[in-house]
Amino acid sequence: MTNHPQGTSDGQLRWGILGTGFIAGLQTQDLIENGFTVQAVGSRALQSSKAFGDNYSIPTAHGSYEALVADPDVDIVYIATPHPFHHANALLALNAGKHVLVEKAFTINAREAQELVALAESKGLVALEAMWSRFLPHMVRLREVIQEGTLGEVRKVVASHNQNLPKDPAHRLNDPALGGGALLDLGVYPISFAFDVLGAPESIRASASMTPTGVDRQTAAIFEYADGQQAILDCALDTAGNNRAVVIGTEGWIDIESTWYNPTPFTVFDTHGNVLERFEQPVGGRGMQYQAAEMERLVREGVTAGTILPPSESVAVMTAMDEIRRQIGLSYEADAGTSEGSARA
């Protein structure tokens, strides 16, 4: 068994927080509690930036994103804005020479993702998707169990992400102009999980129900693979669920408890239902420190792609979501002039 990530920092690299919303607060709290240096915050409104900075004792507050990315005391920028703005915000930071940790969904579509990744690579900078669940200790151990052959041949992944979220038509989740819908906010978790375990699918079949505002209220997808494996994935934004996940193989299965994408235990069973292993590791805070630790490792080692979530896979996940959106008839303004990709990444 390999050493599991510690999620801590020596504090040498300096972080800038771009955006001051709810998710920015969660990440900042986990950074501070685990020894990371949060040097600056930037918002489109200086008042918002100062309030956020005061709340987390951040030394510098900037009244624009441009000022934040130009700050010479910032090494890494965490992009915490809603996903329709990730592309522009990340390009801004990359062009200023900063590494970026970009909230998921990485972008609105694969074209934007590819542009972002290509720019980062050309500049020798890290562009890491903040799919925080991938870096959690239970996911690290889960990959080990699969690689050790405990499950035999993995045949199926089943994962759900269903929540009861605001119904207000003006809320960003329900607004097509803001990239609303269940898929990009919630479905990205099970989709990324399927990629993590099984890789890119050969084909995708998807269906959805839409809201009155024209975004997907609930979406289901089946990923099919060349050797017959399947991933059965679903998400919804107006119905809560138990949000468990399972990986099924010829020699056993892994049951990840609710909520599977948060720090949570899992149990490994053999084909007769006997318990082979139960993994449970306490995690401080929300658990977003682990992705930050991976970000710092990549920067320190001077590499632009890790093995847990390389930039090419973030593009592939967006390609799959483009295909799902094509099948369910959901398009965004950012898709104009874009031929949404095929299922194959």
Side-chain angles (χ1 to χ4, degrees), residues 94-112:
L94 290 167
N95 278 317
K98 311 299 186 187
H99 305 280
V100 291
L101 177 64
V102 185
E103 258 310 322
K104 39 76 194 114
F106 196 51
T107 51
I108 278 285
N109 56 39
R111 175 186 56 78
E112 288 188 350

Side-chain angles (χ1 to χ4, degrees), residues 7-8 63 65 74 87 114 145 161 203 242 283-284 300:
T8 56
Y65 298 152
V74 169
H87 177 252
Q114 185 57 56
V145 170
H161 190 178
S203 63
N242 64 0
V283 168
R300 281 195 310 271

